[in-house]
């Protein structure tokens, strides 16, 4: 299935991509308030001018770590490059963690207490479980689903 990839921007100047089945699909989702900024959650979104995208990644060498920003790029373009790099690095960090699923709170407590090996983990926890961990001095951070490659469909 071919997808339309749009460069989008929220009212707070956060730039991100949206993938849709068609222009009409984008319009319908936007009208229903389903298109929101992944950074701040704003539903006030505009489409930005974007170049067509061709899937030719197999023709190129692996990308460099630093974002390629052309000389004379606007502040918005520089910000988009930085945001893209941060998203890439966060996803790489998450890929290097063990997914313990719904046992997250229990496993985080075991690691903190020295009953399990120290290692980076991720999983799911209720708000109450996260609050209880914080009260016990166990630092955890909620991560949005879109950053976890295993949750992307």
């Amino acid at each position: 299935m071919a997808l339309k990839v749009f460069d989008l921007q929220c009212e707070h100047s956060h730039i991100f991509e949206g993938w849709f089945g068609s222009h009409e699909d984008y319009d319908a989702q936007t009208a229903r308030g389903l298109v929101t900024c992944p950074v701040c959650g704003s539903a006030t979104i505009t489409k930005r001018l974007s170049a067509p995208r061709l899937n030719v990644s197999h023709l190129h060498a692996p990308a460099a770590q630093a974002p390629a920003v052309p000389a004379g790029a606007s502040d918005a373009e520089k910000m988009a490059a930085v945001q893209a790099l941060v998203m890439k690095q966060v996803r790489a960090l998450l890929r290097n963690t063990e997914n313990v699923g719904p046992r997250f709170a229990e496993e985080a407590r075991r690691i903190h207490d020295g009953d399990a090996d120290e290692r980076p983990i991720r999983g799911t926890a209720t708000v109450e479980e996260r609050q209880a961990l914080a009260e016990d001095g166990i630092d955890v951070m909620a991560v949005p689903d879109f950053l976890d490659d295993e949750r992307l469909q």
Side-chain angles (χ1 to χ4, degrees):
M1 173 168 100
L3 293 174
K4 301 283 184 183
V5 180
F6 297 129
D7 288 334
L8 305 173
Q9 183 173 353
C10 77
E11 64 186 318
H12 303 289
S13 299
H14 300 129
I15 298 169
F16 58 99
E17 283 185 348
W19 295 28
F20 303 91
S22 66
H23 288 280
E24 294 77 20
D25 190 27
Y26 165 78
D27 292 337
Q29 288 185 40
T30 301
R32 294 191 338 242
L34 299 177
V35 181
T36 59
C37 175
V39 177
C40 69
S42 172
T44 305
I45 307 296
T46 56
K47 272 196 283 187
R48 295 175 39 96
L49 207 52
S50 60
R53 298 177 191 269
L54 303 174
N55 187 8
V56 294
S57 59
H58 62 283
L59 300 176
H60 300 289
Q65 287 288 47
V69 180
S74 70
D75 287 343
E77 291 168 325
K78 291 175 188 174
M79 180 60 75
V82 169
Q83 287 173 345
L85 179 61
V86 167
M87 297 285 261
K88 182 178 180 179
Q89 290 176 336
V90 168
R91 284 189 170 125
L93 279 171
L94 287 174
R95 277 192 292 280
N96 291 317
T97 62
E98 179 185 343
N99 188 350
V100 295
R103 297 182 306 107
F104 177 81
E106 173 190 341
E107 196 63 21
R109 191 171 303 284
R110 289 183 65 229
I111 292 169
H112 182 269
D113 293 342
D115 296 332
D117 291 336
E118 177 89 22
R119 67 197 189 282
I121 62 171
R122 72 179 186 285
T124 55
T126 65
V127 172
E128 293 80 15
E129 288 173 324
R130 288 195 311 264
Q131 288 173 341
L133 290 169
E135 289 170 4
D136 293 340
I138 303 170
D139 294 326
V140 298
M141 181 179 84
V143 177
D145 290 348
F146 72 89
L147 293 173
D148 187 349
D149 289 343
E150 289 180 13
R151 292 186 167 189
L152 295 176
Q153 299 296 325

